[in-house]
Amino acid sequence: MELRMRKYVLAGCASVLALAGSAALAQEEAPNHNPTVIAAAPATNGPGQASPWAYSGKQGIGSAFEAYKDYQFSDKAATGTVSKVWFSLAEGVVTETMYGRIHEAQIRELQIAVTGAGWTAFERTDTTSHVEYIHTDAAGRPLSPAYRLTNTDKQGRFVIIKDVFTDPDHQSLMVRVTVKALKGPVTPYVILDPSMANTSGDDEGHANVTNLQAWQGNVALNLSASVPFKKATVGYTGVSDGIKELTASQSLGELHSSADQKGNIVLVGQLSTVSKAATFDLAVGFGATTEAASAESAATLKTGYAKVLANYNGEGAKVGWEDYLASLSELKSLIPVSEDNGKLLYASALALKVQEDHTSAGAMIASLSNPWGDTVTTDVSSTGYKAVWPRDFYQVSMALAALGDRETPVAAFRYLPTVQVKATTPGNTGATGWFMQKAHVDGTPEWVGVQLDQTAMPILLGERLEQLGLISKAELLSSYQTMLKPAADFLKEGGTVGLDWNHATITPPYSQQERWEEQEGHSPSTTAAVIAGLTAAADIATQAGDKESAKLYSEKAGDYSEKLEQRLFTTSGKVRGEDKPASYFLRISRSEDANAPGSQDSRNGRPALSSDLMVDAGFLELVRYGVRPADDKEITASLAVIDDQTLPENLRVRYDFHFPGTDVTVPGFRRYGNDGYGEGTEGGNYGPMSPDQRGRVWPIFTGERGHYELALDSLKPGGATDGDIAAIRGTYVKGMELFANEGLMIPEQVFDGVGSKTAHDYTVGEGTDSATPLAWSHAEYVKLLRSVRDRQVWDRNPATYARFSDKVKD
């Protein structure tokens, strides 16, 4: 996503500047680059050792489908009781499992350990994992986010098969486990590592042969099995949890029925020895108390595996995931433009909808993961990527609209006032109309930097939904008065912010942060969104009878466009060397003169460099939104630099990928040269800040380039040819499909082959530990399919294109 910087609280101190032209109007020292508004005291681990979150390269994610009633979640909707449980899978085990709000993890990890004659093995470290969807159509396209994990012992002693999904009618997670003994009897153990209230610490617990329980404050969980445990224990992580004894002697040692001192606990239940094969069901219920949680898990076990799964899938009369997919009017028509017969398309539709909170309708998060989670301790509650960024939010809303979802984009649009800064926003003493950088799904501010593209995108979304007939003109004009006009006014005039640490004066189109949340200045991608947003606002204002505002918005959009190249297109760039000046769009400029753009700040461990040394492909957003035609000479000159793979390694952006079994060359792109938002080239994970950190290739840019190539081909007399479309499909659509993992999850970043493969031993093109799946990645793929089918860029703003791009510049 855009982060890019999204690492909770970042080390280092950054200057927050607001400039008008080259004159500094304000300067303020912020305690961190993206400091969080929410401060929470660390939870205590008690006698236990601290734990990290789980690996963020997820094999799958899931939750029940919940229908709306009047565009809100309700127990009276067609799906009945609203389930508020989400799960993720990584390295063959159940990882962060949320209950309540979508960011509130209650389980860190749930796995099976197996003992035999003189040995102990754990699923996550000692097996090879394979994932597949349980419920598919005849062509293998997934029909629900229910998964089967097949974990095979690396030494061939056992196989564990697990089916994982949630109960749509109760607050519970269901896991069917089959253990097969291949070389003699084995004994399975259920190991539950809770993270109640979204931290590892401050938990209490009980264990007996029928219930494994944990709680903190007003949230509790209960794990029950379809057969009683032979033994059960609860202890403190790394101290008295029984894992050391289990590993050393294939026995739990001393058993403990309770952990009454708050801390980081682990619960373990021993099952019967398996001679050949055995199957048992686990149900983890959640509630306000252990009694309520126990009732939820008991209800799920009573309903039984087959019926719970059928209800989750939406088979028969029950409304579920099949019904959601059937409601997507454009879904089937997009299958022919995919290269995998629609498998990733269907998985993307599911993944996008799964990542919506079930309390605040339309609140869609960036990813159901914590980036670099397996090296980030959980003693302080944090959302990770499980929060709302209006930028990612816009991408997802537009993708769902492209699929023919007629309800979620509307709910999303109606949700947006929740994350807009108003006079009534708690603690706000400054400008209004802009949208928060990052917020909890309930609207609680988390990061409060100003990113102008995130204020423009809600305007673009509103106009597009009205054009598609998803909202009425009356609703659009009503939202103009209450939400869109304040946003447009901020894009036109800016203002002095007054929220938490942020008291900067913003003078558009100079943004406090660009789309990667790391630098201030003029940015091609931000400016593109702002021009398109103001142009759309002018259209809406005209329809609302606000002629004065329409004129001002239109004039300001024209002014930003007229000065674009002056501010951002250098004719003396040094990215190819001091003796090889080149012409190209800059990533960021801090002046009115692109040939004297200043330097960028040190970020993510990477040192500051002159702005003309750091290039990215953000200028392609000018084409996407219609601000410049695809054959604009400045655009094509800049592409030549982006595509130059002879640039110095740290400044290089493009990397071509080849995958086994295919002869396709897939263009891949980093966010920008000198990017440090990624694992270290010497083997370390992201953070603490170090000079060897390296931002890797992001699959979304393969989709962005595909959109550009379509826009370019569309300029031909008669438009893009069948051959053009086939080439785009064969390179860019296929490329994004190849970047997806076995569970059809598209990562945020993939390994580019530079430096260490890290402890995860990455192959080139494999998703890293940053975040998988990334909602934006799936959204970009879906939008590319829709654009290819329509032979026109889906995100293009018609009014912007008509004004600025429907003729070649002189």
Side-chain angles (χ1 to χ4, degrees), residues 94-429:
V94 174
T95 53
E96 288 95 358
T97 298
M98 281 58 66
Y99 162 70
R101 290 285 190 169
I102 196 170
H103 65 271
E104 294 173 334
Q106 314 298 345
I107 295 175
R108 188 189 79 86
E109 191 172 274
L110 172 63
Q111 69 166 318
I112 308 297
V114 177
T115 62
W119 57 267
T120 303
F122 297 86
E123 274 189 297
R124 189 174 64 80
T125 55
D126 298 314
T127 71
T128 300
S129 182
H130 167 71
V131 64
E132 59 189 315
Y133 289 83
I134 297 174
H135 188 46
T136 65
D137 65 12
R141 294 181 283 260
L143 297 178
S144 82
Y147 301 89
R148 175 164 295 158
L149 293 165
T150 301
N151 297 332
T152 304
D153 175 47
K154 293 175 181 177
Q155 297 187 38
R157 298 165 298 194
F158 62 88
V159 174
I160 298 173
I161 301 170
K162 296 187 299 190
D163 293 354
V164 187
F165 46 91
T166 65
D167 186 337
D169 299 313
H170 294 94
Q171 309 304 328
S172 55
L173 171 74
M174 187 164 206
V175 184
R176 166 159 284 191
V177 182
T178 298
V179 179
K180 296 182 179 181
L182 304 179
K183 294 181 178 180
V186 299
T187 302
Y189 296 76
V190 176
I191 301 177
L192 174 61
D193 186 346
S195 59
M196 305 307 299
N198 206 44
T199 64
S200 62
D202 284 347
D203 295 345
E204 300 173 79
H206 286 166
N208 58 46
V209 295
T210 56
N211 304 97
L212 303 180
Q213 298 179 332
W215 65 90
Q216 180 181 329
N218 62 354
V219 64
L221 66 75
N222 176 89
L223 184 153
S224 295
S226 55
V227 294
F229 296 115
K230 294 298 181 182
K231 298 179 181 179
T233 188
V234 57
Y236 296 94
T237 303
V239 176
S240 58
D241 56 17
I243 304 301
K244 183 185 295 184
E245 292 81 3
L246 187 64
T247 302
S249 62
Q250 293 73 59
S251 172
L252 288 176
E254 183 181 357
L255 303 179
H256 306 278
S257 62
S258 65
D260 296 325
Q261 178 181 348
K262 292 182 179 180
N264 186 9
I265 68 172
V266 174
L267 300 127
V268 184
Q270 178 185 333
L271 291 156
S272 299
T273 298
V274 177
S275 297
K276 292 185 179 179
T279 296
F280 52 91
D281 292 333
L282 305 175
V284 185
F286 301 93
T289 64
T290 54
E291 291 79 11
S294 180
E296 296 294 322
S297 54
T300 295
L301 289 173
K302 182 178 180 180
T303 303
Y305 168 89
K307 188 172 182 181
V308 172
L309 178 59
N311 291 346
Y312 183 81
N313 293 340
E315 299 176 66
K318 184 68 177 179
V319 176
W321 281 108
E322 281 191 13
D323 301 278
Y324 175 68
L325 293 177
S327 75
L328 304 178
S329 61
E330 308 302 311
L331 182 67
K332 290 185 177 179
S333 70
L334 297 178
I335 295 172
V337 294
S338 73
E339 289 286 301
D340 68 349
N341 200 24
K343 293 183 179 65
L344 182 58
L345 168 65
Y346 275 57
S348 295
L350 296 170
L352 292 172
K353 185 64 175 174
V354 162
Q355 295 177 101
E356 178 186 17
D357 185 54
H358 287 173
T359 299
S360 298
M364 293 174 294
I365 63 170
S367 176
L368 204 68
S369 67
N370 287 48
W372 292 283
D374 55 5
T375 54
V376 178
T377 58
T378 61
D379 54 345
V380 175
S381 177
S382 64
T383 58
Y385 279 11
K386 298 186 288 290
V388 174
W389 279 265
R391 182 183 305 102
D392 300 59
F393 184 96
Y394 166 82
Q395 312 294 342
V396 173
S397 299
M398 287 292 287
L400 291 172
L403 288 167
D405 185 331
R406 300 190 64 82
E407 292 189 321
T408 313
V410 176
F413 182 67
R414 294 174 181 174
Y415 165 86
L416 277 169
T418 306
V419 292
Q420 188 175 31
V421 177
K422 312 175 188 66
T424 55
T425 299
N428 182 45
T429 60

Side-chain angles (χ1 to χ4, degrees), residues 419-472:
V419 292
Q420 188 175 31
V421 177
K422 312 175 188 66
T424 55
T425 299
N428 182 45
T429 60
T432 60
W434 57 284
F435 286 80
M436 295 177 205
Q437 177 187 357
K438 177 189 179 186
H440 285 188
V441 291
D442 65 359
T444 301
E446 188 166 351
W447 292 351
V448 295
V450 176
Q451 299 167 15
L452 295 177
D453 60 338
Q454 295 207 133
T455 295
M457 288 173 175
I459 304 173
L460 293 169
L461 180 62
E463 182 173 60
R464 189 56 176 273
L465 294 184
E466 192 275 333
Q467 291 168 348
L468 292 170
L470 299 185
I471 63 173
S472 67

